[in-house]
Structure formats: C-alpha cells, structure tokens
Amino acid sequence: NSTNAFITYTRVQKKDYKISGKVEKGPFINGSSVSLEILDSKLNGSGKVYNSETTDNLGSFSFDCKEVSDTYAEIKANGYFFNEVKGTLSNGTLTLRALVDLRDNTTINVNVLTHLKYARIKNLVASGKKFNEANKQAQKELLNAFGLGKYNQKEVSSFSITAGTDESAALIAISSLLLLDRTEAEFTEYLSRLSADFGNNGKFSEEIENQINSDKQELSEYLEDINTNIINRYSELGMQVQVKDLSYFIDWNNDGTAGNEILKEG
C-alpha cells in the first residue's frame, strides 16, 4: 500500500504599518532612542527590530514597518525627560515600554501607564489569554488600583499629557505620584518593583500601597507647581496646553474612586 502525504502551507499575509506617537513621562527630549520589536501572539520576540529616535522635545517618534507578518509589538524608549515635579530636565535617563496590537493603533504613546501594565499583560498571555483580552484586563486592574476606573474606556497608549482631557490629568497625576522626589535611579528601581508586583495578580502589595498612600500626602503640596511646570515647559516648546485640577485625579481617601472627595489642607 502506498500512502500519499499532503503537506499544506498557510500563506501568511504580510502588512505594512505606519506607527507614530510620543514618549511622555514628562516628554522625552529630542534624540531619545526608541525601538519597536515585532512579537508573535505569545509575545515572544521575532528578532525583527526597528530603531528610531525622538525627533523633537515633545517626545515624538515614528516607525515605518514593512512586510510584517505578526501583529503585536513592544515599543521601548530610553532617554532624558522633563521632570514635572521639579520643573527641570532629568539628570539621568529612563526606560519606558509599551505592548501594542499594531492593527488597533496607528498612534501609540509610551508612558508610565503602558509601562506598569507591561508585565501583567505578559503574565496573562503566558497563562493562556489572548493579547486583547489580557490588555483590557491589565488596563482595568491598573486604573482601578489608582481609583481611576472611570477612564478605562480609552486605551492608555492614547493618553497624552498635551490633550488637556481628564485622561491627560489622570496620566499626569499617576506619573507625578510615582516620581515625586525620587532620583532617576530610584524612580527606575521603583517602577520595576511596581511593574513586577502588579504583574503577579493585578494589584499592589500592602507594602507598596502604604508607600503610595504616604506619597499622596506629600504630593498634595506639589500639585499647583506641577500644573504650572507642565504649562511652562510646553510653552517654551511653542505649545499651549491646559492641565485640569490634578487634585481630582488622586484617590485621597482610598475608597476606590478618585475625585469624589475634597482634599483638605493639612
């Protein structure tokens, strides 16, 4: 008996993607390095990496990705940034990451929120969830952890400091809360701890929650300065931005909802 074996090949559709966005802690400065690596559905690296850099002091970057067969990517940025708490440029560099579905995004911003949900998305995908489901879950858990669940409808990679929206203020509030009076090295180490801790089960440990609560009280003294610093920095860059009252975007009494309580001067 002779057996005929048939081998079928699946032809992978390759696509081109034009991606642009900004890296914002405060904004990364001109010349900061930005890379985009194509990932498979399990978020493993394909080895296909595009390298670029920011083209202005607003943190702007772009990629022209040709003939891509996978649809997911990791964007990684490293550079000096505007410290909105101190109102000065940073003394050291910072690395921020974002995991994205290229099909959903032509504009992608890399920020503290995309960075904090990075490890959580990876862990959820490793546990068997599809990327989009994992991303939505990680985002919801992250915003809920800061009492900002009401802003969950928009993807955090679309949040931008310059938009003047509630989402902008939410991003600024969390960014400032985590940075506060930390050096760049301390901030990098703290973000790594937060990301790993949150990555485990979608919430922060009691130790980190206590740290965040302590920082909130200190942050209350800086809010007006932060608002002014951001407006002034962008004004220097030729851009008029509005910043909402940041006190409405911190969950002062830890009831799970920011903005529903009044900040009392202590």
Side-chain angles (χ1 to χ4, degrees), residues 100-117:
V100 295
D101 184 341
L102 295 172
R103 292 170 299 184
D104 293 345
N105 300 279
T106 50
T107 302
I108 298 167
N109 296 324
V110 183
N111 54 47
V112 166
L113 293 174
T114 65
H115 187 84
L116 285 178
K117 68 176 182 172

Side-chain angles (χ1 to χ4, degrees), residues 77-94:
N78 176 267
Y80 293 91
F81 61 93
F82 178 71
N83 181 322
E84 71 279 6
V85 179
K86 291 181 179 171
T88 59
L89 292 179
S90 66
N91 292 316
T93 61
L94 176 69

Side-chain angles (χ1 to χ4, degrees), residues 169-200:
L171 173 60
I172 294 166
I174 295 174
S175 292
S176 303
L177 175 65
L178 302 184
L179 176 61
L180 209 53
D181 55 4
R182 294 178 173 90
T183 65
E184 288 75 30
E186 288 167 342
F187 183 51
T188 295
E189 189 272 338
Y190 186 46
L191 277 183
S192 295
R193 273 180 59 212
L194 289 171
S195 181
D197 185 52
F198 179 77
N200 290 329

Side-chain angles (χ1 to χ4, degrees), residues 182 190 206-216:
R182 294 178 173 90
Y190 186 46
E206 187 178 347
E207 181 191 355
I208 283 179
E209 282 195 342
N210 289 339
Q211 180 65 62
I212 288 172
N213 288 334
S214 169
D215 288 344
K216 280 179 195 173

Side-chain angles (χ1 to χ4, degrees), residues 192-244:
S192 295
R193 273 180 59 212
L194 289 171
S195 181
D197 185 52
F198 179 77
N200 290 329
N201 57 10
K203 56 179 76 165
F204 294 120
S205 65
E206 187 178 347
E207 181 191 355
I208 283 179
E209 282 195 342
N210 289 339
Q211 180 65 62
I212 288 172
N213 288 334
S214 169
D215 288 344
K216 280 179 195 173
Q217 302 316 309
E218 190 178 343
L219 179 72
S220 63
E221 300 169 24
Y222 289 91
L223 291 179
E224 286 186 19
D225 289 343
I226 290 166
N227 191 309
T228 302
N229 290 340
I230 289 172
I231 289 168
N232 288 347
R233 172 60 176 170
Y234 280 102
S235 179
E236 287 169 13
L237 300 175
M239 193 171 180
Q240 301 306 311
V241 300
Q242 292 182 317
V243 182
K244 297 204 170 192

Side-chain angles (χ1 to χ4, degrees), residues 241-254:
V241 300
Q242 292 182 317
V243 182
K244 297 204 170 192
D245 183 344
L246 298 175
S247 64
Y248 288 97
F249 299 87
I250 299 286
D251 182 11
W252 302 106
N253 64 358
N254 302 316

